[in-house]
Amino acid sequence: MEKKARSVEQKDNVSQDNSGPWFQGFYNPNPSSCFSYTSAVQYVPYLDLSIYRESRVKSILKKHSKDIYCLLENVHFDGGYCRVKCIRDGEWDYCWDLAVRVQFFGKMQGITLYPKRSVSEKNKKIVYRSLILVNPYQLWDESIVTRFWNIQERVEFLIARILFHECIHVMISLDKTLPSSSENTDIFREFRKMLDIAESQKLVFETNEVKFRLWNLTIFGASGPESERKLLERVQEIYEFLINEKYSNQKTGQAFNSTLRNSKLARKYAWVAAVKAGGDRHISKTVWQVEVRRLSIALRALYDGIDSLIKEK
């Protein structure tokens, strides 16, 4: 990672309002705190997410991963794009711009949008742009409140944990996308190691079962006549996504003491994988849901097998 990143002009129409939505049923007796009230809805508080300290969030991230800290060192969490890496391969420059925005948007903790690719033949430059959306909606979860009574520290912890997870996705994507002349990070090497374990001979049955379920779901969700090759490529892409999520959740859980059980991970990401496969376009919803459950069972077995082989090493 380049230690210093230069900012680039923000072209997207991205709102930089960090304020959050209404929290129903929360009453704050201290009018001088981070909450304010509106006459439109009486006694309903409004949380200004700008109470978090960006420097503190980055300090937490640096403690757990220097690679992630270097990635975000010069990125501000206001939705503005910043160049985080740029390498030359032959006559071409390959650059990666990253933006981070913190806001409330439902019940998804974080989203990393797929990078947009722009090519400049004149300047011989290819630029990838990626956006991370961070949603600390779990602010009032009992486990988080018990751990952090101070609301500022609570927000900062949640932002750091979500960013850690999403940055793992970015770094894996970055190392896979940019030319091989770039140096791979420890995170990418660890992910590749887990992927190799998942595809090892000892887990061939578990892997094939997951891919078989993914194949069925891909057939169910195909948008139209597609070649077998394209369908197989989609199966492999979704399969790697599932291993990516296993690795990202495991590493984040170890760093922030919030590990999820494989059963919960499998249920969550089996559904996501089924949606990525196209949903239930060509089959009844009941049959589709049965296949999603079968994928969840197969995925849990694969995740358990990965953990067992990692412990052996």
Side-chain angles (χ1 to χ4, degrees):
M1 294 294 165
E2 291 183 348
K3 200 166 185 180
K4 289 192 177 181
R6 56 189 178 87
S7 297
V8 295
E9 182 180 353
Q10 183 180 344
K11 296 180 181 178
D12 294 348
N13 183 21
V14 179
S15 169
Q16 296 187 19
D17 179 10
N18 283 334
S19 57
W22 297 102
F23 281 96
Q24 300 292 337
F26 182 88
Y27 303 95
N28 180 32
N30 181 6
S32 63
S33 73
C34 57
F35 294 102
S36 60
Y37 295 86
T38 177
S39 58
V41 183
Q42 194 174 12
Y43 304 124
V44 179
Y46 177 84
L47 176 61
D48 183 2
L49 274 176
S50 64
I51 64 169
Y52 72 84
R53 297 161 294 182
E54 187 177 295
S55 60
R56 176 57 183 159
V57 173
K58 290 180 178 179
S59 177
I60 296 172
L61 291 169
K62 187 176 183 180
K63 175 183 175 183
H64 297 296
S65 172
K66 290 183 179 179
D67 284 337
I68 289 178
Y69 172 75
C70 288
L71 179 72
L72 294 174
E73 185 176 8
N74 294 288
V75 179
H76 296 297
F77 305 163
D78 57 3
Y81 282 92
C82 180
R83 185 143 297 165
V84 295
K85 191 160 189 175
C86 198
I87 65 171
R88 176 171 284 272
D89 186 52
E91 297 182 349
W92 285 79
D93 289 323
Y94 296 81
C95 302
W96 198 286
D97 296 344
L98 180 64
V100 173
R101 191 168 74 221
V102 180
Q103 67 178 65
F104 290 115
F105 56 90
K107 288 193 174 183
M108 185 172 288
Q109 293 184 53
I111 300 175
T112 300
L113 302 183
Y114 284 107
K116 294 181 179 179
R117 181 174 179 266
S118 62
V119 180
S120 172
E121 295 283 352
K122 180 180 178 181
N123 298 322
K124 292 189 178 297
K125 180 176 288 187
I126 298 176
V127 178
Y128 298 88
R129 279 190 153 196
S130 186
L131 171 66
I132 297 176
L133 297 176
V134 178
N135 175 24
Y137 79 92
Q138 293 179 313
L139 202 57
W140 308 110
D141 281 12
E142 184 178 354
S143 60
I144 303 296
V145 173
T146 303
R147 191 171 174 184
F148 299 97
W149 286 96
N150 182 288
I151 193 168
Q152 184 182 46
E153 293 179 357
R154 201 185 313 158
V155 172
E156 290 165 351
F157 171 82
L158 285 171
I159 292 173
R161 188 176 70 179
I162 296 166
L163 264 179
F164 189 92
H165 179 103
E166 298 304 326
C167 282
I168 290 174
H169 295 317
V170 170
M171 296 184 77
I172 291 173
S173 181
L174 192 154
D175 280 341
K176 286 176 64 177
T177 304
L178 295 186
S180 57
S181 58
S182 62
E183 293 183 6
N184 291 331
T185 60
D186 289 341
I187 284 174
F188 183 74
R189 284 190 288 269
E190 289 172 2
F191 163 69
R192 287 299 314 179
K193 182 179 178 181
M194 181 174 286
L195 189 60
D196 290 342
I197 289 173
E199 296 184 337
S200 66
Q201 196 62 32
K202 291 183 179 180
L203 293 177
V204 65
F205 174 81
E206 289 82 356
T207 296
N208 287 343
E209 183 67 14
V210 169
K211 289 184 176 181
F212 174 69
R213 299 303 168 190
L214 288 174
W215 171 261
N216 289 343
L217 289 165
T218 302
I219 296 295
F220 295 163
S223 57
E226 294 186 65
S227 67
E228 182 177 339
R229 179 183 174 184
K230 282 196 172 184
L231 292 173
L232 287 171
E233 286 176 353
R234 189 174 306 156
V235 167
Q236 183 62 26
E237 178 186 337
I238 299 173
Y239 169 77
E240 289 193 16
F241 157 78
L242 292 171
I243 304 302
N244 190 323
E245 288 296 349
K246 163 65 174 169
Y247 171 74
S248 301
N249 277 276
Q250 183 169 296
K251 192 166 184 68
T252 303
Q254 290 169 349
F256 290 86
N257 193 27
S258 56
T259 304
L260 294 177
R261 296 188 304 274
N262 284 334
S263 56
K264 187 171 183 178
L265 277 179
R267 284 195 303 272
K268 176 181 179 180
Y269 290 109
W271 181 85
V272 175
V275 172
K276 288 172 74 71
D280 56 351
R281 283 193 180 101
H282 306 296
I283 204 74
S284 71
K285 195 166 190 69
T286 301
V287 173
W288 182 78
Q289 289 173 338
V290 169
E291 196 62 24
V292 174
R293 284 196 294 272
R294 288 171 176 166
L295 173 60
S296 175
I297 294 169
L299 189 57
R300 178 182 177 180
L302 177 60
Y303 284 171
D304 287 343
I306 291 172
D307 288 344
S308 296
L309 290 183
I310 289 176
K311 288 177 182 178
E312 289 178 6
K313 295 190 175 183

